[in-house]
Amino acid sequence: MLSSPSFSPHNDVLNATPETDAAKSSLVEELKRRGRVSVTTHRYPDAKDLYGKAIEVLSSTETDGAAASNNTDMAILHSNRALCFLQMNRPNDSYEDATSATCFDSTYVKGFWRLGQASMALKQTQEAIDAYKTALMLDPSSKALKKEFTNAEKQLVKDKVEAERLEKEKEENANYIPPPVAKKVQVVKDDVPSSESSSAGGIVKDDKSAIKSDLAGGKGEFSKSDHVRGYKIVNGKKTSFFHHEMTEEEKHLIGDITPKRLEPTQMSDSSATTQDKDVSVWNKAGTWEEKDVTDWAIGSVKGKVLEASYQLPGGSPDPNASVKVIDVSGLISSKKAGGSAHASVAKVRGKKKYIFEFTICVHWEMTLGSGDKCKGKLTFYDVDGTHEIGEGYDISEYSVEDGAQADARHLLDRFVRNGGLRSEIEKKLDEWIGLFQETY
């Protein structure tokens, strides 16, 4: 499915052939970075090629001791390419990639999400519902997934109603006996006057003025069919019927449109522009520019998430309990080994695009009313620019440290994993997106 175009701004990486595993890993990270930018700017064919190259390179990498990590990366790449194919109106290819994503990592929520979307595009509604159910089992609190699942269930009802209607219509058509059709008899009249016959065809044969013009010297003379084709005489010349000679008033309004020669001095003056400090020298057309702000983003995201805390409500089993974020990890720049965090501002034809992608591991602590403490981790995977504010974020890992009281488990599931602190963290991430846009 990988097709490298003859001309692409990414030919340097699409045609690269790294030999060592270190070089391959570096190339995959660059391909993923460019793929993210291409998706955010809706250049899906470019993104499809970049993710395809990354899949090809990663498949050839030695996996000793890193099979699980490679499988996770392959699931993400196939899922991302499935999105590209879906946006390019290629649902069969999208379905194939989404299926591969779920095979590489059966716990990857987005893999099943993409599978559901591809199935809906292929009108395989029941299969889409099954995929969404699996995704919701992995992330039961995702509002966006619940919305997709509900829409799929409604579509299934519509499909059943339509199938019943078509079946009923088929039965009715099978029992339908059409009435006999009367034969038409054409009557030919021989006594129609020649003048009427010629008038019915739209041509008056005895009108000699429509056949030949009276211009001197024979210029502008029509053939017998020219007047039918739509020619006319303007200023003594035969021309199209739609030809229009401008009046003096029209010429005055339009002005002089005659092409004029540009002098070298004029050309040099027009090209001498002040170089924008934020635009690279090669980008004189201003079509593309990207500024990396990953370091700022890592610090500001961490600061925002550390603000999150939650007091359990009065109607809860333990109204005196509270939970807060005590640390944030996993935010390692993609420029460093093993890192995946990235944030940048791209200017595409004068319009700004805010691009980011993080995996955020949140360390939390709940203090119960009795004074006992429970600790654990909550990992938000693929926090990126494709999310809509208010729709929440997917989690890929939730864990509680040993030693937590058994009767506190239901509190942790309700107010950490599926709501409470999680909702507060999601609000802080939405606030950070606003801060990102305000700052840049």
Side-chain angles (χ1 to χ4, degrees):
M1 284 185 283
L2 176 62
S3 60
S4 180
S6 57
F7 174 77
S8 167
H10 306 292
N11 273 343
D12 56 331
V13 290
L14 292 176
N15 297 328
T17 54
E19 296 181 358
T20 66
D21 283 353
K24 290 177 181 179
S25 177
S26 176
L27 177 60
V28 168
E29 290 303 318
E30 177 64 14
L31 289 162
K32 288 163 64 177
R33 186 188 72 81
R34 296 195 190 190
R36 286 192 296 266
V37 174
S38 297
V39 168
T40 306
T41 53
H42 307 296
R43 293 181 292 119
Y44 297 107
D46 284 350
K48 180 262 298 180
D49 288 334
L50 291 164
Y51 287 130
K53 178 68 174 181
I55 290 169
E56 176 189 311
V57 174
L58 195 59
S59 299
S60 66
T61 304
E62 296 293 333
T63 58
D64 294 341
S69 175
N70 268 20
N71 284 345
T72 300
D73 286 338
M74 288 291 279
I76 295 171
L77 290 171
H78 278 285
S79 175
N80 290 346
R81 191 169 66 172
L83 169 64
C84 297
F85 279 130
L86 195 62
Q87 294 295 330
M88 294 167 64
N89 197 27
R90 292 170 61 178
N92 286 301
D93 290 329
S94 179
Y95 179 88
E96 184 180 334
D97 262 333
T99 302
S100 296
T102 61
C103 292
F104 276 109
D105 188 352
S106 60
T107 64
Y108 185 48
V109 177
K110 278 194 175 179
F112 290 99
W113 194 337
R114 301 299 181 215
L115 182 59
Q117 291 175 321
S119 298
M120 287 295 289
L122 292 169
K123 301 189 183 301
Q124 299 172 0
T125 313
Q126 185 57 59
E127 190 169 349
I129 290 174
D130 294 339
Y132 289 140
K133 278 183 180 178
T134 306
L136 282 169
M137 288 173 62
L138 295 169
D139 186 8
S141 61
S142 174
K143 296 177 183 178
L145 264 176
K146 289 177 181 177
K147 183 178 179 181
E148 297 265 19
F149 177 70
T150 302
N151 290 339
E153 284 190 317
K154 290 179 180 178
Q155 185 60 46
L156 185 61
V157 173
K158 292 180 181 179
D159 291 345
K160 289 180 179 179
V161 171
E162 179 65 12
E164 290 174 0
R165 186 190 69 80
L166 291 174
E167 185 63 27
K168 183 178 179 181
E169 187 178 280
K170 184 179 179 181
E171 291 176 0
E172 291 175 351
N173 289 338
N175 299 326
Y176 175 72
I177 300 176
V181 180
K183 295 183 178 180
K184 294 183 179 180
V185 179
Q186 186 174 4
V187 179
V188 180
K189 295 182 180 180
D190 296 331
D191 56 348
V192 178
S194 59
S195 60
E196 292 182 11
S197 175
S198 61
S199 296
I203 304 175
V204 181
K205 293 185 177 180
D206 57 353
D207 186 358
K208 302 299 183 180
S209 60
I211 303 299
K212 183 179 291 187
S213 79
D214 295 330
L215 296 173
K219 292 183 179 179
E221 190 172 295
F222 284 126
S223 69
K224 290 186 178 182
S225 60
D226 280 350
H227 65 289
V228 178
R229 295 175 182 169
Y231 291 105
K232 66 180 180 180
I233 302 299
V234 177
N235 294 334
K237 295 180 181 179
K238 183 170 69 174
T239 184
S240 165
F241 178 79
F242 297 101
H243 176 84
H244 173 69
E245 286 288 326
M246 287 193 297
T247 64
E248 291 300 322
E249 183 180 0
E250 289 171 337
K251 291 179 180 178
H252 176 71
L253 288 171
I254 295 174
D256 186 8
I257 59 173
T258 306
K260 294 180 176 60
R261 176 183 177 130
L262 285 175
E263 297 299 328
T265 54
Q266 291 178 291
M267 295 174 64
S268 60
D269 291 342
S270 63
S271 62
T273 57
T274 304
Q275 182 69 36
D276 190 333
K277 65 179 181 179
D278 291 328
V279 178
S280 60
V281 176
W282 55 265
N283 187 23
K284 293 181 180 179
T287 55
W288 172 263
E289 193 71 26
E290 183 182 4
K291 180 179 181 180
D292 190 290
V293 294
T294 302
D295 293 338
W296 171 87
I298 288 174
S300 56
V301 167
K302 185 174 182 178
K304 271 292 178 186
V305 174
L306 282 170
E307 295 175 4
S309 63
Y310 183 75
Q311 177 70 44
L312 272 64
S316 67
D318 191 349
N320 295 320
S322 62
V323 59
K324 63 181 180 180
V325 176
I326 58 174
D327 194 15
V328 178
S329 62
L331 289 170
I332 304 173
S333 173
S334 59
K335 295 178 287 187
K336 298 179 181 179
S340 61
H342 171 81
S344 61
V345 182
K347 186 181 287 187
V348 185
R349 300 191 182 281
K351 294 183 179 180
K352 284 187 177 180
K353 301 287 184 179
Y354 297 91
I355 303 155
F356 58 92
E357 183 173 4
F358 307 111
T359 295
I360 305 173
C361 183
V362 178
H363 302 258
W364 52 266
E365 178 184 81
M366 176 178 278
T367 303
L368 303 173
S370 62
D372 293 330
K373 296 182 183 293
C374 304
K375 295 182 179 181
K377 293 189 296 183
L378 190 65
T379 302
F380 292 84
Y381 208 74
D382 277 358
V383 177
D384 57 36
T386 63
H387 286 279
E388 295 291 336
I389 290 179
E391 286 194 351
Y393 299 84
D394 301 328
I395 60 171
S396 60
E397 181 185 350
Y398 167 76
S399 62
V400 181
E401 291 183 6
D402 295 337
Q405 297 180 16
D407 58 353
R409 292 282 178 172
H410 69 284
L411 287 177
L412 299 176
D413 283 343
R414 180 178 174 185
F415 296 109
V416 177
R417 181 179 186 176
N418 297 323
L421 182 66
R422 176 177 176 175
S423 298
E424 292 301 315
I425 294 171
E426 289 173 343
K427 289 178 184 177
K428 293 300 178 182
L429 290 173
D430 287 346
E431 289 178 12
W432 177 83
I433 294 175
L435 176 64
F436 186 14
Q437 296 172 351
E438 289 175 8
T439 306
Y440 294 96

